[in-house]
Amino acid sequence: MNRKSLPAGKRASRVLRSFTTVVAAGLLSTAMTGCTALTQPINGVPANRLPNTFFAEPKNDLVPVDISLLSLEPPRDYQISGGDILGVYIEGVLPFNPPNAPPEPPPVNFPDADSTLPPSIGYPIAVQDDGTLALPLIEPLDVEGLTLEQIREAIRDAYIEEEILRPEKARPIVTIIKERTYDVIVVREDGGNLLTQNIAADYIRGTSDKSASGAMIQLPAYQNDVLHALVETGGLPGLNAKNEVKVLRASEADQRKRSQFMQQFYAQQRAAMLDPCACPPELPDDPTILRIPLRLKPGIIPNITPDQVTLQDGDIVYIESRETEVFYTGGLLPGGEFPLPRDYDLDVLGAMAIAGQGVGSTTNSGGAGGILGRGSSAIPPGRVYILRKTRCNGQVAIEVDLTKAINDPKSRPLIMAGDTILLQYRCEEELLNFGIATFFTYGLTELIRSN
């Protein structure tokens, strides 16, 4: 019998039965194979039920530290110490001048091209490490901490007391030929660029060739501070470096303390390995390493003293990379690893956008569309899980309702380093997507054919 010759009621009944059969089969297949909530269950805890210890500290409100605190304030008059080279001229003594001979003019010394000192006059005499100045015919003078004017008076008084020069002839000239310098090592791990996904992945996989850069620099006196060390080697830490500066002192006492600290930590690790139920200890902050933060919470006054930012010979300034501060995506999100912003917060909705999945948009990855082998689904996925690592190799799964997250900022947890973000459909969303796709694919086709 011709399909069109059937009465209208019978045709509608047949279409309804065909559609019901297809939908029932589709719902059954979805429930059995397609619903990830059933086949890949995740025991998540809603974000509003977790204590604050599981969440990241916000950093949008961090205030940059005044960088002038990282430098030393030079004194009004330069104070001499061991390592300075002075220009000294004493008529008749330095240089020795025979009687009745015309005095020799003092030599003029021009500074190096990168020096800020003016030209100097006199013969070069180095100040010893103990702060003394050795001159002809007199005992060494203690000039530690004296200014140039005070050294001139000390030299004049010494030659007059020894009756080597008459008061009217004692007119020494003292200038600075070269300032003392301090050898400092700067190690920086911020030479790369972590603003793109591929470069971040290169760092994680070890395929990047952007290794740490190091330099031995010489800082003049009263410029031997952290700020000048950073300026000499490229400026403040970049975006792919941590918001802090580490200073490792070169003194033997600090080196011994660091060695003892590591020995104690290794002893704790060995003790924990003997107990299978014990939690392996985390490496605490080394108390001998000075950490200078570059951003702080509002209202916190940085306690940075001049002694902390002063660098001595052999000190190490270390800028540590943050190459491991990344998060991962999976599920219905495109899989990948992405760097976290350094200076502002990134919540779960922003992380989804970075991964290429806008909130409320449909997806081509699995779901009803994947089951049918056709385009994207009609109803977007509404649930996200944040897999967050805890101590002792543990994990907590934070469940985020995207509908609540869109309407309530408090329902959008901040992303932490090492998080894995999984986007999933709810079971009812997959069923609805399959039903809608089945209706438009088979129901309309059957209606057209029946008419």
Side-chain angles (χ1 to χ4, degrees), residues 10 57 62 119 122 152 161 163 166 177 180 234 271-272 306 371 390 394 400-401:
K10 290 186 177 181
E57 287 287 337
L62 295 182
R152 292 190 194 100
E161 289 177 2
E163 298 182 353
R166 295 193 301 272
I177 295 180
R180 61 186 182 274
I371 295 171
T390 60
V400 180
D401 187 325

Side-chain angles (χ1 to χ4, degrees), residues 59 189-190 194-195 203-204 238-243 319-326 339-343 417:
K59 52 188 177 183
E189 294 181 347
D190 59 344
L194 287 180
L195 299 181
Y203 271 95
I204 298 300
L239 291 177
N240 55 343
K242 293 186 176 180
N243 248 324
I319 307 299
E320 187 176 1
S321 171
R322 62 180 194 93
E323 61 188 28
T324 57
E325 294 183 2
V326 296
L340 281 172
R342 190 190 70 171
D343 296 333

Side-chain angles (χ1 to χ4, degrees), residues 118-313:
S120 57
I121 297 175
Y123 292 91
I125 305 293
V127 179
Q128 304 302 311
D129 292 338
D130 59 357
T132 59
L133 183 67
L135 296 174
L137 306 177
I138 61 174
E139 293 293 329
L141 297 176
D142 185 7
V143 298
E144 180 70 29
L146 300 182
T147 64
L148 294 179
E149 184 62 32
Q150 290 172 338
I151 294 176
R152 292 190 194 100
E153 292 297 325
I155 294 174
R156 181 177 183 278
D157 294 341
Y159 278 97
I160 293 175
E161 289 177 2
E162 295 293 333
E163 298 182 353
I164 299 174
L165 293 176
R166 295 193 301 272
E168 64 273 11
K169 292 291 186 179
R171 296 188 296 270
I173 298 176
V174 182
T175 58
I176 298 179
I177 295 180
K178 186 177 181 181
E179 300 165 308
R180 61 186 182 274
T181 58
Y182 299 87
D183 295 331
V184 176
I185 301 173
V186 180
V187 179
R188 306 187 63 132
E189 294 181 347
D190 59 344
N193 181 9
L194 287 180
L195 299 181
T196 62
Q197 175 189 357
N198 293 334
I199 295 180
D202 290 341
Y203 271 95
I204 298 300
R205 300 188 186 100
T207 57
S208 173
D209 192 32
K210 292 181 174 63
S211 58
S213 61
M216 172 76 78
I217 59 175
Q218 291 185 339
L219 299 176
Y222 303 113
Q223 297 181 17
N224 55 317
D225 50 51
V226 172
L227 182 58
H228 282 87
L230 295 177
V231 171
E232 288 289 331
T233 56
L236 294 175
L239 291 177
N240 55 343
K242 293 186 176 180
N243 248 324
E244 66 177 10
V245 179
K246 293 183 178 180
V247 178
L248 286 74
R249 301 298 184 186
S251 64
E252 293 184 2
D254 286 327
Q255 292 179 357
R256 286 195 300 268
K257 290 180 181 178
R258 283 194 290 271
S259 178
Q260 294 174 358
F261 169 79
M262 293 306 299
Q263 290 176 1
Q264 293 175 357
F265 174 70
Y266 291 146
Q268 294 176 357
Q269 276 192 325
R270 288 192 295 268
M273 292 174 61
L274 299 177
D275 185 0
C277 298
C279 180
E282 296 182 354
L283 180 64
D285 290 339
D286 191 337
T288 64
I289 297 178
L290 174 63
R291 297 174 182 267
I292 302 176
L294 299 180
R295 295 171 69 90
L296 290 173
K297 287 283 188 180
I300 297 179
I301 300 176
N303 186 20
I304 302 176
T305 63
D307 291 339
Q308 290 178 328
V309 300
T310 302
L311 302 176
Q312 303 296 335
D313 282 327

Side-chain angles (χ1 to χ4, degrees), residues 386-423:
I386 302 175
L387 306 183
R388 181 158 296 171
K389 297 179 181 179
T390 60
R391 290 198 59 191
C392 300
N393 298 322
Q395 173 182 283
V396 60
I398 304 174
E399 181 180 341
V400 180
D401 187 325
L402 289 180
T403 302
K404 293 182 179 179
I406 293 173
N407 295 286
D408 184 10
K410 297 181 180 179
S411 299
R412 301 197 289 262
L414 300 181
I415 303 302
M416 296 177 61
D419 283 351
T420 300
I421 305 173
L422 300 178
L423 178 63

